[in-house]
Amino acid sequence: MDAKELIAQANAQQPQLIAQFKQAVASDQLAHAFLFTGPRGRGQGLVADWLAMRLMCRNVTADGQPDGMCDQCQRIASNEHPDVIQLAPDGNSIKVDQVRFLRDEFTKTAVEGNQKVFIVAGADTMTSSAANGLLKFIEEPVGQQTAILIAENRAQILPTVVSRTQVVDFPALGPEQMQSSLMAVGFNATQAELVRTLTDSSEVAAEWLVDDWFQQAEQAVGNLVTATLKKDDTAFTMVQTNLVPLAGEPARARVLLAMMAQAWRDILLSRTGDVPVRFSAGSTWQRDSQRYTTATLLAVLDIVLAAPQRLQKNINFQTTVESTVLESQFKLAGLS
C-alpha cells in the first residue's frame, strides 16, 4: 500500500480519531505514549502509520494531513524509515530479543531530524517482565519520542503500562466505512455485502481472499442452499465434495456455517421486501422458496442456526453439515 492510499484508508476507517489526532498535533498537546485497543481490523495500524507520517511529513496540507508524497511519508508507508521503529510478534508473541532491540532503540536519538516513533503491534503478547522493562522508557522518553502500543486485549496489558499511556479505544467501523474498507482490500460490492454479515474486521476478511477461498466458499454455500431448497438429492453429496475441502481449519468451518445461516435469513427477508444481493445464487431463491410457508422456512433457519453448537460438541464439520441438510430437507418436505 502506498502512502497516499494508506492516508486515505486511515481517514475512511476512523475519521473521528484522525480528526482528534490532527487537533492534538496542531495544538502541541499530543501525548508521548498511546495504547490503541480493540479487535484487529479497525484501522489501528493505519492510524499509527498516519500519525507517524503526520509527525514527520515535510509538506503537511492545509487541513492537517500528511501529503503522502514526500520521502518521509513514502518511507514510512514502506516500513523503511530509520526513525519509525515497527515491531510485531514473531509467531504468537513478541520475543525477548525483540524487546531487547526495542529497549536499545529507545535509548537512541533520531537518525534524521528530532522525531522518533515506535509502533508495537501485538503489545498484549509481551510477557510481564518484558512489558515492565519498557516502562521507564515510556515514562522518560529520550528526546521527541512517540510510542504507540497496539493491543487487541487491553486486559492483557499490565495496569502500570495502561496508566502511563493514553488509551485510545477503536470503535467498530460503520457500514459505509466497512464497505469501502473491504472493497479496498479486494472484495467487489456484492461480496462486501456478505462479508459485513460475517465479520467486522477487514483484516480477517482479507485473509479469506487468499487462494480465492471466499469466492469458492460463497459459490459452494449458494449451490448447497439452492439444492436444499429444491430438495435435490445431490445436496447431501455436495457437503463432502464442495464444502469439506474449504473447511480446513475451525475458523473457516465457522464462517461456512455463518454463510449458510445468512443465506436462509436472506430467503426469509426476501418475503417482506428487497434485500441486498449477497449470493450469486440468490436470484433463484425467492422463486424456489414460494412453495413453502414462512413458518417452514423459519424452522429451517432454526436448524441451520443450531449447527455451530454441534461443532462445539466436537461433532466434525462434515457430519454437522450433512445432518443440517438432511433435517432441513425433511422439514421442507413436511416430514418432521
Side-chain angles (χ1 to χ4, degrees):
M1 185 185 308
D2 65 26
K4 290 185 73 67
E5 184 181 359
L6 189 153
I7 292 166
Q9 285 203 32
N11 280 272
Q13 290 196 24
Q14 294 294 350
Q16 292 183 332
L17 291 181
I18 292 294
Q20 292 170 14
F21 279 120
K22 284 167 58 176
Q23 178 62 33
V25 174
S27 60
D28 197 24
Q29 294 181 335
L30 190 73
H32 70 275
F34 295 92
L35 174 61
F36 289 0
T37 67
R40 69 188 180 112
R42 294 186 176 183
Q44 294 92 325
L46 291 170
V47 174
D49 285 342
W50 180 94
L51 183 55
M53 290 184 191
R54 174 61 183 83
L55 291 171
M56 296 185 175
C57 180
R58 299 187 190 280
N59 306 298
V60 176
T61 65
D63 64 346
Q65 295 282 355
D67 71 342
M69 299 293 291
C70 69
D71 64 315
Q72 300 285 77
C73 289
Q74 292 179 16
R75 284 188 293 163
I76 291 169
S78 59
N79 197 17
E80 295 176 350
H81 199 294
D83 293 325
V84 179
I85 311 301
Q86 304 217 28
L87 196 68
D90 179 9
N92 293 324
S93 64
I94 293 177
K95 302 294 191 291
V96 173
D97 288 346
Q98 292 179 286
V99 174
R100 289 199 190 102
F101 163 76
L102 194 61
R103 290 171 61 181
D104 185 49
E105 287 294 327
F106 268 118
T107 65
K108 300 176 182 177
T109 56
V111 175
E112 303 177 7
N114 300 316
Q115 181 68 55
K116 199 165 185 179
V117 178
F118 299 86
I119 302 174
V120 183
D124 45 351
T125 69
M126 286 190 292
T127 64
S128 296
S129 59
N132 273 319
L134 296 179
L135 267 178
K136 70 174 182 177
F137 299 104
I138 293 175
E139 292 173 331
E140 302 172 6
V142 178
Q144 291 179 227
Q145 293 186 351
T146 303
I148 303 171
L149 308 181
I150 301 176
E152 290 187 53
N153 190 348
R154 175 176 171 173
Q156 295 296 321
I157 301 291
L158 287 179
T160 47
V161 172
V162 175
S163 67
R164 288 162 176 77
T165 59
Q166 181 174 321
V167 178
V168 180
D169 293 316
F170 274 63
L173 305 184
E176 292 183 3
Q177 295 162 332
M178 186 64 176
Q179 186 82 359
S180 62
S181 177
L182 291 171
M183 293 179 69
V185 299
F187 291 97
N188 62 41
T190 299
Q191 291 172 330
E193 283 286 352
L194 176 57
V195 172
R196 287 200 292 114
T197 70
L198 305 172
T199 181
D200 66 355
S201 171
S202 57
E203 289 183 24
V204 170
E207 295 171 0
W208 300 343
L209 289 171
V210 177
D211 298 327
D212 291 327
W213 182 86
F214 183 84
Q215 182 176 355
Q216 294 177 56
E218 182 273 329
Q219 290 177 349
V221 169
N223 291 338
L224 178 65
V225 171
T226 298
T228 303
L229 265 175
K230 293 180 176 180
K231 300 192 292 293
D232 190 329
D233 292 340
T234 62
F236 188 81
T237 58
M238 283 182 180
V239 176
Q240 182 177 6
T241 57
N242 298 345
L243 258 69
V244 171
L246 297 170
E249 56 188 69
R252 293 272 170 99
R254 289 191 294 270
V255 173
L256 290 169
L257 294 181
M259 277 190 186
M260 290 174 59
Q262 187 59 51
W264 287 99
R265 289 192 190 95
D266 284 359
I267 290 169
L268 278 162
L269 289 171
S270 69
R271 298 206 152 197
T272 58
D274 293 334
V275 296
V277 177
R278 298 189 179 98
F279 292 86
S280 54
S283 59
T284 66
W285 292 345
Q286 187 173 22
R287 181 193 68 231
D288 292 339
S289 66
Q290 291 304 310
R291 72 188 75 173
Y292 308 113
T293 66
T294 298
T296 296
L297 294 174
L298 278 169
V300 172
L301 177 59
D302 285 341
I303 292 169
V304 176
L305 290 174
Q309 299 171 16
R310 291 176 169 170
L311 278 186
Q312 292 174 357
K313 294 177 181 177
N314 295 321
I315 300 174
N316 69 42
F317 178 78
Q318 181 173 339
T319 301
T320 294
V321 182
E322 286 175 345
S323 299
T324 300
V325 169
L326 284 176
E327 290 178 25
S328 298
Q329 289 193 321
F330 285 155
K331 183 64 66 174
L332 293 171
L335 300 177
S336 62

